[in-house]
Amino acid sequence: MSETRLTNAVIPEVFSAYTVEPTIYKSRLFKAGVITQDAGMNALLSGGGEIYTLPFWQDVSGTSGDIPIEGTDATVNNLASAKQAFRKQVRNKVWGANDLVSVYSGDDPMQKLTAMVTDYWSQAFDQIGINTLRGVIAKDVAGSSLLVNDISSGVGAAAYFADSGVIDAQAKIGESGTVGASDIGAFAAILVHPATYAYMRKLDVIDFVAVSGQERPLEFYMGMNVIVDRNAFVNSTVYDSYILKNGVLKFGQTSTGYMPTEIDRAPLDGFGIDRLITRRTFAMHPMGMAWADTSVSGVSPTDAETYAATNWTQVYNAENMGIVVLRHKLG
């Protein structure tokens, strides 16, 4: 029986359709409501350019109104606008070698490859999303530190992850930190490092909820989805736990202007090697921020550049942001 090759299994146009769009749906941040897709960003990314603006109307709250005076015209107030900005990003990933194909021989190679590529890019987008959240917090800490409840310098148990620390972190954004306030957006998830997750289990603070059709129960803490990821920031014994609102990250992507999937063959290398090349053009934007593009060395920001404070500017008031952090130690 002849060997099944990638060139036999993959039709690039069809394969792209199978993998590009479903990728984000498998993201844990997307499933928890932290990432939402934005059609406007999709459209902008399909055109030229690197940085795009998203205008918004600034908040008009803060006063109790004016007292009318007979014979005097009322004061006319303006409705001010400002702009967010997001950056186009490009990434690629290539797989190859005959060993890759032999794994799929005698099975459905298209199905296996689709799952492999989709799973890879979904975790890649989660990692980029977490790096983006790190950038928001790095910018905040470099300024007034309005979004971080840092208890890590406390003595003993005062420095450890606890319910009270999470509540105080939520309170950093005032009225917007009210649990379940639908008019201002509810907290959707808490993103923690695996070590923090293990400590939470020891504290018995996670609710495991069985859901029909799910192989594993869903995990909740204070009504928030629990997301466990090793990319959550940790500095020696100090951990960041991210408390996130619905839609704090907006996501857009496009397949315009490039080939998302391509097959290449190097016939002179050994017995010949097939290469599966995948590419993505996308944007991951934290609401309330503007990309400053201060320190980008290549055609697209690296992970380190994504979480660098210098590449971000906060344009929302702190109480309108969708992210707060508990910085803590573990007992």
Side-chain angles (χ1 to χ4, degrees):
M1 183 177 70
S2 62
E3 185 182 45
T4 301
R5 308 202 62 85
L6 290 181
T7 49
N8 304 133
V10 177
I11 302 172
E13 294 81 3
V14 176
F15 191 79
S16 295
Y18 280 143
T19 60
V20 172
E21 188 65 24
T23 293
I24 190 62
Y25 296 129
K26 296 193 72 173
S27 154
R28 290 175 297 165
L29 294 179
F30 180 86
K31 289 191 288 187
V34 173
I35 295 176
T36 56
Q37 291 207 77
D38 189 288
M41 289 173 63
N42 292 344
L44 289 170
L45 289 167
S46 296
E50 291 182 347
I51 300 175
Y52 309 87
T53 59
L54 294 172
F56 68 95
W57 296 109
Q58 293 182 320
D59 198 352
V60 296
S61 62
T63 69
S64 59
D66 301 328
I67 303 298
I69 302 174
E70 189 174 359
T72 301
D73 290 344
T75 300
V76 178
N77 299 279
N78 68 309
L79 188 61
S81 64
K83 292 185 291 187
Q84 302 180 70
F86 68 91
R87 176 60 147 86
K88 177 184 284 184
Q89 298 194 50
V90 291
R91 301 285 179 106
N92 61 17
K93 192 68 176 179
V94 181
W95 292 273
N98 288 334
D99 286 347
L100 178 66
V101 178
S102 66
V103 170
Y104 304 120
S105 296
D107 204 341
D108 183 348
M110 174 65 84
Q111 182 181 14
K112 297 296 184 181
L113 286 169
T114 298
M116 180 185 73
V117 172
T118 302
D119 288 347
Y120 172 79
W121 282 110
S122 63
Q123 66 82 29
F125 286 146
D126 276 345
Q127 183 172 342
I128 293 166
I130 293 169
N131 288 333
T132 301
L133 295 171
R134 282 185 60 184
V136 174
I137 296 305
K139 181 65 178 180
D140 178 69
V141 170
S144 302
S145 197
L146 299 176
L147 303 175
V148 179
N149 178 30
D150 188 351
I151 62 172
S152 62
S153 60
V155 178
Y160 301 162
F161 179 97
D163 292 352
S164 59
V166 172
I167 293 170
D168 287 341
Q170 293 173 327
K172 297 285 285 186
I173 54 176
E175 293 176 359
S176 295
T178 306
V179 175
S182 58
D183 58 328
I184 51 179
F187 290 108
I190 180 168
L191 169 68
V192 299
H193 189 274
T196 301
Y197 173 74
Y199 184 66
M200 293 170 71
R201 289 193 63 192
K202 293 175 184 177
L203 294 176
D204 196 23
V205 295
I206 298 176
D207 296 318
F208 295 87
V209 180
V211 178
S212 177
Q214 295 275 357
E215 293 183 5
R216 296 177 56 190
L218 299 182
E219 298 166 287
F220 293 91
Y221 168 72
M222 288 190 177
M224 300 178 288
N225 281 278
V226 178
I227 303 172
V228 185
D229 198 295
R230 66 183 181 276
N231 294 299
F233 181 64
V234 55
N235 181 14
S236 183
T237 60
V238 177
Y239 296 81
D240 279 1
S241 293
Y242 303 78
I243 303 157
L244 307 166
K245 290 203 168 191
N246 281 298
V248 63
L249 292 173
K250 297 296 183 184
F251 176 83
Q253 65 177 330
T254 181
S255 299
T256 301
Y258 70 102
M259 295 180 65
T261 305
E262 191 171 1
I263 299 297
D264 175 65
R265 177 149 177 83
L268 300 181
D269 191 338
F271 271 10
I273 295 176
D274 288 334
R275 300 187 183 97
L276 172 64
I277 305 137
T278 62
R279 307 179 180 95
R280 297 292 183 268
T281 296
F282 63 94
M284 190 81 69
H285 176 64
M287 295 300 292
M289 304 296 291
W291 177 260
D293 211 49
T294 302
S295 55
V296 177
S297 57
V299 297
S300 184
T302 64
D303 288 347
E305 289 166 346
T306 301
Y307 58 72
T310 54
N311 278 323
W312 295 102
T313 301
Q314 185 175 315
V315 295
Y316 276 11
N317 293 330
E319 61 267 23
N320 292 326
M321 296 295 291
I323 170 176
V324 290
V325 161
L326 175 62
R327 183 161 288 174
H328 59 88
K329 292 182 178 179
L330 304 175

PDB file of all heavy atoms in Angstrom, residues 238-252:
ATOM      1  N   VAL A 238       5.804  34.971  43.530  1.00  0.00           N
ATOM      2  CA  VAL A 238       4.683  35.914  43.412  1.00  0.00           C
ATOM      3  C   VAL A 238       3.902  35.606  42.129  1.00  0.00           C
ATOM      4  O   VAL A 238       4.489  35.515  41.044  1.00  0.00           O
ATOM      5  CB  VAL A 238       5.172  37.372  43.404  1.00  0.00           C
ATOM      6  CG1 VAL A 238       4.003  38.329  43.196  1.00  0.00           C
ATOM      7  CG2 VAL A 238       5.898  37.691  44.706  1.00  0.00           C
ATOM      8  N   TYR A 239       2.581  35.444  42.272  1.00  0.00           N
ATOM      9  CA  TYR A 239       1.721  35.048  41.163  1.00  0.00           C
ATOM     10  C   TYR A 239       0.693  36.138  40.863  1.00  0.00           C
ATOM     11  O   TYR A 239       0.212  36.812  41.774  1.00  0.00           O
ATOM     12  CB  TYR A 239       0.980  33.742  41.500  1.00  0.00           C
ATOM     13  CG  TYR A 239       1.892  32.558  41.695  1.00  0.00           C
ATOM     14  CD1 TYR A 239       2.557  32.368  42.906  1.00  0.00           C
ATOM     15  CD2 TYR A 239       2.076  31.626  40.682  1.00  0.00           C
ATOM     16  CE1 TYR A 239       3.393  31.271  43.096  1.00  0.00           C
ATOM     17  CE2 TYR A 239       2.913  30.534  40.861  1.00  0.00           C
ATOM     18  CZ  TYR A 239       3.566  30.363  42.069  1.00  0.00           C
ATOM     19  OH  TYR A 239       4.395  29.291  42.249  1.00  0.00           O
ATOM     20  N   ASP A 240       0.339  36.268  39.578  1.00  0.00           N
ATOM     21  CA  ASP A 240      -0.766  37.136  39.168  1.00  0.00           C
ATOM     22  C   ASP A 240      -1.966  36.270  38.817  1.00  0.00           C
ATOM     23  O   ASP A 240      -1.853  35.338  38.010  1.00  0.00           O
ATOM     24  CB  ASP A 240      -0.393  37.979  37.945  1.00  0.00           C
ATOM     25  CG  ASP A 240       0.419  39.217  38.306  1.00  0.00           C
ATOM     26  OD1 ASP A 240       0.713  39.407  39.506  1.00  0.00           O
ATOM     27  OD2 ASP A 240       0.754  39.990  37.394  1.00  0.00           O
ATOM     28  N   SER A 241      -3.119  36.580  39.422  1.00  0.00           N
ATOM     29  CA  SER A 241      -4.387  35.950  39.052  1.00  0.00           C
ATOM     30  C   SER A 241      -5.266  37.027  38.435  1.00  0.00           C
ATOM     31  O   SER A 241      -5.533  38.055  39.069  1.00  0.00           O
ATOM     32  CB  SER A 241      -5.060  35.323  40.276  1.00  0.00           C
ATOM     33  OG  SER A 241      -4.302  34.223  40.753  1.00  0.00           O
ATOM     34  N   TYR A 242      -5.704  36.788  37.199  1.00  0.00           N
ATOM     35  CA  TYR A 242      -6.412  37.790  36.411  1.00  0.00           C
ATOM     36  C   TYR A 242      -7.918  37.592  36.553  1.00  0.00           C
ATOM     37  O   TYR A 242      -8.434  36.505  36.277  1.00  0.00           O
ATOM     38  CB  TYR A 242      -6.020  37.675  34.937  1.00  0.00           C
ATOM     39  CG  TYR A 242      -4.538  37.793  34.677  1.00  0.00           C
ATOM     40  CD1 TYR A 242      -3.673  36.726  34.924  1.00  0.00           C
ATOM     41  CD2 TYR A 242      -3.992  38.970  34.173  1.00  0.00           C
ATOM     42  CE1 TYR A 242      -2.313  36.825  34.690  1.00  0.00           C
ATOM     43  CE2 TYR A 242      -2.633  39.087  33.929  1.00  0.00           C
ATOM     44  CZ  TYR A 242      -1.801  38.007  34.192  1.00  0.00           C
ATOM     45  OH  TYR A 242      -0.446  38.108  33.962  1.00  0.00           O
ATOM     46  N   ILE A 243      -8.616  38.631  36.944  1.00  0.00           N
ATOM     47  CA  ILE A 243     -10.070  38.593  37.111  1.00  0.00           C
ATOM     48  C   ILE A 243     -10.659  39.391  35.952  1.00  0.00           C
ATOM     49  O   ILE A 243     -10.421  40.597  35.843  1.00  0.00           O
ATOM     50  CB  ILE A 243     -10.469  39.163  38.480  1.00  0.00           C
ATOM     51  CG1 ILE A 243      -9.752  38.373  39.588  1.00  0.00           C
ATOM     52  CG2 ILE A 243     -11.975  39.106  38.670  1.00  0.00           C
ATOM     53  CD1 ILE A 243      -9.615  39.123  40.883  1.00  0.00           C
ATOM     54  N   LEU A 244     -11.423  38.721  35.089  1.00  0.00           N
ATOM     55  CA  LEU A 244     -11.729  39.257  33.768  1.00  0.00           C
ATOM     56  C   LEU A 244     -13.227  39.376  33.514  1.00  0.00           C
ATOM     57  O   LEU A 244     -14.003  38.497  33.893  1.00  0.00           O
ATOM     58  CB  LEU A 244     -11.104  38.350  32.700  1.00  0.00           C
ATOM     59  CG  LEU A 244      -9.603  38.072  32.889  1.00  0.00           C
ATOM     60  CD1 LEU A 244      -9.163  36.918  32.005  1.00  0.00           C
ATOM     61  CD2 LEU A 244      -8.794  39.320  32.598  1.00  0.00           C
ATOM     62  N   LYS A 245     -13.597  40.428  32.809  1.00  0.00           N
ATOM     63  CA  LYS A 245     -14.997  40.634  32.439  1.00  0.00           C
ATOM     64  C   LYS A 245     -15.266  40.077  31.049  1.00  0.00           C
ATOM     65  O   LYS A 245     -14.348  39.805  30.268  1.00  0.00           O
ATOM     66  CB  LYS A 245     -15.333  42.123  32.480  1.00  0.00           C
ATOM     67  CG  LYS A 245     -15.372  42.681  33.902  1.00  0.00           C
ATOM     68  CD  LYS A 245     -16.221  43.924  33.954  1.00  0.00           C
ATOM     69  CE  LYS A 245     -16.504  44.296  35.403  1.00  0.00           C
ATOM     70  NZ  LYS A 245     -17.527  45.332  35.512  1.00  0.00           N
ATOM     71  N   ASN A 246     -16.538  39.911  30.747  1.00  0.00           N
ATOM     72  CA  ASN A 246     -16.937  39.469  29.412  1.00  0.00           C
ATOM     73  C   ASN A 246     -16.401  40.438  28.364  1.00  0.00           C
ATOM     74  O   ASN A 246     -16.534  41.657  28.503  1.00  0.00           O
ATOM     75  CB  ASN A 246     -18.461  39.419  29.295  1.00  0.00           C
ATOM     76  CG  ASN A 246     -19.051  38.182  29.924  1.00  0.00           C
ATOM     77  OD1 ASN A 246     -18.764  37.069  29.510  1.00  0.00           O
ATOM     78  ND2 ASN A 246     -19.864  38.365  30.947  1.00  0.00           N
ATOM     79  N   GLY A 247     -15.790  39.887  27.317  1.00  0.00           N
ATOM     80  CA  GLY A 247     -15.380  40.695  26.179  1.00  0.00           C
ATOM     81  C   GLY A 247     -14.256  41.662  26.434  1.00  0.00           C
ATOM     82  O   GLY A 247     -14.101  42.632  25.688  1.00  0.00           O
ATOM     83  N   VAL A 248     -13.444  41.415  27.452  1.00  0.00           N
ATOM     84  CA  VAL A 248     -12.332  42.328  27.712  1.00  0.00           C
ATOM     85  C   VAL A 248     -11.330  42.313  26.559  1.00  0.00           C
ATOM     86  O   VAL A 248     -10.627  43.289  26.314  1.00  0.00           O
ATOM     87  CB  VAL A 248     -11.636  41.972  29.044  1.00  0.00           C
ATOM     88  CG1 VAL A 248     -11.007  40.593  29.006  1.00  0.00           C
ATOM     89  CG2 VAL A 248     -10.580  43.017  29.406  1.00  0.00           C
ATOM     90  N   LEU A 249     -11.268  41.202  25.829  1.00  0.00           N
ATOM     91  CA  LEU A 249     -10.423  41.109  24.642  1.00  0.00           C
ATOM     92  C   LEU A 249     -11.289  40.993  23.396  1.00  0.00           C
ATOM     93  O   LEU A 249     -12.183  40.148  23.336  1.00  0.00           O
ATOM     94  CB  LEU A 249      -9.494  39.892  24.726  1.00  0.00           C
ATOM     95  CG  LEU A 249      -8.394  39.916  25.787  1.00  0.00           C
ATOM     96  CD1 LEU A 249      -7.689  38.566  25.845  1.00  0.00           C
ATOM     97  CD2 LEU A 249      -7.387  41.020  25.508  1.00  0.00           C
ATOM     98  N   LYS A 250     -11.023  41.847  22.414  1.00  0.00           N
ATOM     99  CA  LYS A 250     -11.686  41.759  21.118  1.00  0.00           C
ATOM    100  C   LYS A 250     -10.718  41.133  20.122  1.00  0.00           C
ATOM    101  O   LYS A 250      -9.526  41.446  20.113  1.00  0.00           O
ATOM    102  CB  LYS A 250     -12.109  43.144  20.624  1.00  0.00           C
ATOM    103  CG  LYS A 250     -13.128  43.842  21.518  1.00  0.00           C
ATOM    104  CD  LYS A 250     -14.448  43.097  21.567  1.00  0.00           C
ATOM    105  CE  LYS A 250     -15.471  43.856  22.408  1.00  0.00           C
ATOM    106  NZ  LYS A 250     -16.738  43.118  22.545  1.00  0.00           N
ATOM    107  N   PHE A 251     -11.277  40.270  19.286  1.00  0.00           N
ATOM    108  CA  PHE A 251     -10.441  39.506  18.361  1.00  0.00           C
ATOM    109  C   PHE A 251     -10.946  39.672  16.939  1.00  0.00           C
ATOM    110  O   PHE A 251     -12.153  39.638  16.676  1.00  0.00           O
ATOM    111  CB  PHE A 251     -10.463  38.025  18.738  1.00  0.00           C
ATOM    112  CG  PHE A 251      -9.705  37.124  17.800  1.00  0.00           C
ATOM    113  CD1 PHE A 251      -8.334  36.973  17.928  1.00  0.00           C
ATOM    114  CD2 PHE A 251     -10.353  36.426  16.789  1.00  0.00           C
ATOM    115  CE1 PHE A 251      -7.622  36.146  17.078  1.00  0.00           C
ATOM    116  CE2 PHE A 251      -9.655  35.598  15.930  1.00  0.00           C
ATOM    117  CZ  PHE A 251      -8.287  35.460  16.084  1.00  0.00           C
ATOM    118  N   GLY A 252     -10.018  39.860  16.025  1.00  0.00           N
ATOM    119  CA  GLY A 252     -10.352  39.896  14.601  1.00  0.00           C
ATOM    120  C   GLY A 252      -9.303  39.126  13.820  1.00  0.00           C
ATOM    121  O   GLY A 252      -8.151  39.010  14.254  1.00  0.00           O
TER     122      GLY A 252
END
